[in-house]
Each structure stands twice: as C-alpha cells, then as structure tokens.
C-alpha cells in the first residue's frame, strides 16, 4: 500500500515539483500517473523509491515512512520495488541473461535459485531465446522487455515505470503496456508514469493526473470517480 498525505516537494533550486498531493494506492492496483512534462510525475516516483524525500507531508510505502525511515532500511524498501525507465538502463557489456541476473546478485540470491528465476522472467517477457544476446543487438521494445524482466527477478510487490514507452513506437508501446498489465494480473502492483494519453485512454485503468504539482484528476476509466480528490483542503486545488 502506498499513501501520500499532503506531500510537497521543493527542490533546492526552488522548483515546487509537488504542491500538496494526497492519494492512496492499494496492493494489486494498476495506476497511470499522467501529466505534461514538468508536472511532477518523476518526482512522485522518486518519493516512492526514496531517491528523494518530501519537503512536507507524509509518504508511506508498504510499512516504510519515507521521511523518517533509517537509511539502513532503504535497500530493504528498494528490494520490494522493480524499476523500469524510459532509457532501459541495461549494461551494454553484459548479455541479456547477465543483465537480468545482476539484479538478483546484488541482493544475494543463491545462484541456483537465481538461474531459475532469470529463466522464468525471461519466459514471461518472451525473450528466453535471446538470453545470450547483447542489449545492443536487440530492438528498443526487446530491450525494454529485458528491463522489465530485470525489474521482476526479485519478485517485487511493486513495479514503477517512468515513461517506459517514451522511446518506443506506438505498436511496441502497446505491447509493453500489455506486458505490464499481465504482470499486474498476477498480483504485482504497477504504477506507470506517462504523457501518452491516447494509450492511457485505451487501457481503462485508474488515472491520476498531475498538473503543475497538484492532482487534478483521480478516477477509474469507467468515469466513476472512486477517489476524486482527498478531503484535505491543501490538495483540493480546483476540485469542485
Ligand atoms: P515530470 O516527470 O512530470 O516531467 P519532474 O518531476 O521531473 O516532472 O519535474 C517537476 C519539476 O521539478 C520541474 O519543474 C523540474 O524542472 C523540477 N525538478 C525535477 N527534478 C529536479 C531536481 N533534481 N532538481 C531541481 N529541480 C528538479
Ligand atoms: Mg519525468
């Protein structure tokens, strides 16, 4: 479970990236965070992964209070989160198999179990036949599938993807979204930031829209506004 309560984030530069954001995401949900470039999407993700801390307000991820948690627990938090990025971030000198395995090595997964897990997640993303290929021998869509396999290898409760289709053509983007949807159907919470509103409209999922650091929409695709705006005055900017 993820909870944001009246979260503000002001960077040292003075930039107000988030200006009072409240929402809750339950285990097993599939949620899009949408908004224009610069609206605060990546900042929101970085508060979940604790790459950043809130300037004000409260962020809870699973049982971890992001502001107050001990630094020693950050790796424990991160182990529960699989991360996917726009630019894939694969290691070019390692094979597909080694790239995926590396994420398990870092957390000390026993080699035998790790080999099995890598094979499983490469099957999920349909790339077992490319296990020995190098990343640069793959298409963009295939590289992103490797990155998704890498995000899954430690069996995280949560996958966060920041503009995962930003470098991909529309058709490949659809298949990447379908893959993330399939992973979600198996119980993993999935949060995806994107500015591709066409793709989001077709998927009929919960959408949280941010504009200039404030939530301006939080609704299920059915049109039924399950959690439209929080009770907190601070986050209700323009809600009514
Ligand atoms: P998005 O992902 O929606 O494009 P960001 O969260 O990256 O938005 O950025 C929100 C605002 O915060 C922007 O004005 C951006 O310039 C600013 N910002 C983001 N990261 C930093 C940073 N590390 N230092 C200073 N300002 C930042
Ligand atoms: Mg961003």
């Amino acid at each position: 479970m993820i909870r944001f309560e009246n979260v503000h984030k002001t960077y040292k530069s003075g930039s107000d990236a988030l200006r009072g954001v409240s929402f809750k995401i339950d285990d097993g949900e599939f949620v899009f965070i949408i908004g224009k470039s610069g609206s605060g999407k990546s900042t929101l993700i970085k508060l979940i992964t604790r790459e950043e801390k809130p300037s004000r307000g409260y962020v809870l991820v699973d049982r971890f209070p992001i502001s107050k948690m001990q630094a020693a627990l950050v790796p424990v938090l991160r182990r529960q989160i699989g991360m996917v990025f726009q630019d894939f971030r694969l290691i070019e000198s390692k094979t597909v198999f080694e790239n995926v395995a590396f994420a398990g090595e870092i957390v000390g997964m026993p080699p035998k179990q790790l080999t099995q897990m890598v094979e499983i997640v490469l099957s999920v993303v349909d790339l077992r036949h490319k296990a020995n290929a190098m990343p640069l021998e793959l298409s963009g869509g295939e590289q992103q599938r490797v990155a998704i396999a890498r995000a899954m290898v430690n069996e995280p409760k949560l996958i966060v993807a920041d503009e995962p289709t930003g470098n991909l053509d529309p058709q490949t983007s659809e298949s990447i979204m379908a893959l993330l949807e399939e992973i979600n159907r198996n119980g993993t919470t999935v949060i995806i930031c994107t500015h591709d509103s066409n793709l989001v409209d077709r998927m009929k999922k919960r959408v949280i829209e941010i504009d200039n650091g404030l939530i301006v929409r939080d609704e299920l695709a059915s049109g039924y506004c399950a959690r439209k705006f929080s009770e907190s005055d601070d986050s209700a900017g323009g809600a009514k």
Side-chain angles (χ1 to χ4, degrees), residues 36-38 40-43 46 86 162-163 193:
K36 291 191 293 266
S37 176
K41 305 181 296 297
S42 295
T43 299
K46 286 176 183 164
Q86 176 169 354
D162 193 351
E163 307 272 4
C193 286

Side-chain angles (χ1 to χ4, degrees), residues 8-134:
H8 292 247
K9 177 65 188 180
T10 305
Y11 286 103
K12 286 199 187 80
S13 62
S15 175
D16 281 325
L18 295 177
R19 303 188 294 134
V21 165
S22 303
F23 63 87
K24 191 174 145 231
I25 295 175
D26 287 322
D27 289 346
E29 279 200 77
F30 186 112
V31 183
F32 283 114
I33 312 287
I34 67 165
K36 291 191 293 266
S37 176
S39 56
K41 305 181 296 297
S42 295
T43 299
L44 194 152
I45 292 283
K46 286 176 183 164
L47 292 171
I48 294 173
T49 57
R50 203 181 181 267
E51 283 163 80
E52 296 288 348
K53 286 193 202 175
S55 312
R56 245 172 75 198
Y58 181 70
V59 178
L60 186 76
V61 179
D62 205 11
R63 60 184 192 282
F64 300 101
I66 293 297
S67 292
K68 286 174 285 183
M69 67 188 287
Q70 293 169 10
L73 287 175
V74 173
V76 182
L77 167 75
R78 297 253 173 89
R79 212 168 295 170
Q80 300 188 24
I81 306 177
M83 292 185 225
V84 177
F85 306 95
Q86 176 169 354
D87 54 0
F88 322 133
R89 303 201 190 171
L90 302 174
I91 300 169
E92 288 175 10
S93 58
K94 289 184 187 283
T95 65
V96 165
F97 188 98
E98 289 164 350
N99 264 280
V100 177
F102 191 53
E105 283 162 18
I106 289 171
V107 303
M109 197 187 293
K112 215 169 147 189
Q113 185 192 342
L114 179 55
T115 302
Q116 269 176 7
M117 265 318 286
V118 175
E119 281 168 9
I120 290 169
V121 294
L122 284 178
S123 307
V124 172
V125 302
D126 201 17
L127 280 177
R128 266 189 86 161
H129 59 292
K130 298 272 177 153
N132 296 318
M134 304 306 284

